Amino acid sequence: MNLDQLTLPQLKQLSGRIDKEIGKRQSASKAVVLRKLQKLVREHGLSLDEVMASPVVATPRKARSKTAAPAKAPLPVKFRHPNNRELAWSGRGRKPHWVEAWLANGGSLDALAVAAQKLARQQPDVA
């Protein structure tokens, strides 16, 4: 059907027919779904009124604690930069940039571990 050839009154008439057809099909579709629901509810010994009146029961999830978790103590320092005492790393998680730079320049993790041990003997850990 070429809509370009129809006049405005013809298009309005067609639009009305389309709206009526859409309404019929929606009603038919709803009726089919309602029949399916009624059958399903009957099979389980319920009525639609009971299903609609009952609250939705969600499966319980793991209960969350209402109190905040206690703060974790910082991990002990395993690696420390020999020239800058403030640069420290516990050895867990991603390597800090200064460790990666140290390794890229030919340094070893053993040297950083030794530096951490020496500095730990000299003064207590701050980081």
Side-chain angles (χ1 to χ4, degrees):
M1 172 182 278
N2 188 356
L3 298 178
D4 291 335
Q5 295 176 353
L6 297 177
T7 65
L8 183 59
Q10 290 172 327
L11 286 172
K12 287 184 179 182
Q13 182 185 13
L14 183 60
S15 174
R17 287 176 45 202
I18 290 173
D19 289 340
K20 285 180 186 177
E21 185 63 27
I22 288 173
K24 284 181 190 178
R25 291 189 187 190
Q26 284 178 336
S27 295
S29 176
K30 287 179 184 179
V32 168
V33 170
L34 185 58
R35 281 193 300 269
K36 286 180 182 179
L37 286 174
Q38 287 171 336
K39 180 182 175 189
L40 185 62
V41 167
R42 270 194 314 268
E43 288 174 359
H44 291 282
L46 300 168
S47 71
L48 280 180
D49 293 332
E50 288 175 314
V51 172
M52 297 308 295
S54 65
V56 177
V57 179
T59 55
R61 290 186 175 187
K62 184 178 175 182
R64 292 187 181 183
S65 174
K66 293 189 179 196
T67 59
K72 295 181 180 180
L75 295 171
V77 173
K78 292 185 181 178
F79 305 100
R80 193 175 299 276
H81 195 285
N83 300 329
N84 186 349
R85 187 180 193 322
E86 294 177 9
L87 298 177
W89 179 45
S90 68
R92 289 196 178 171
R94 278 181 82 169
K95 293 178 185 157
H97 293 294
W98 65 267
V99 172
E100 292 193 6
W102 177 269
L103 296 173
N105 288 325
S108 69
L109 280 179
D110 291 334
L112 297 177
V114 169
Q117 290 173 356
K118 285 183 181 178
L119 289 172
R121 287 185 212 134
Q122 293 175 1
Q123 40 187 292
D125 257 344
V126 177

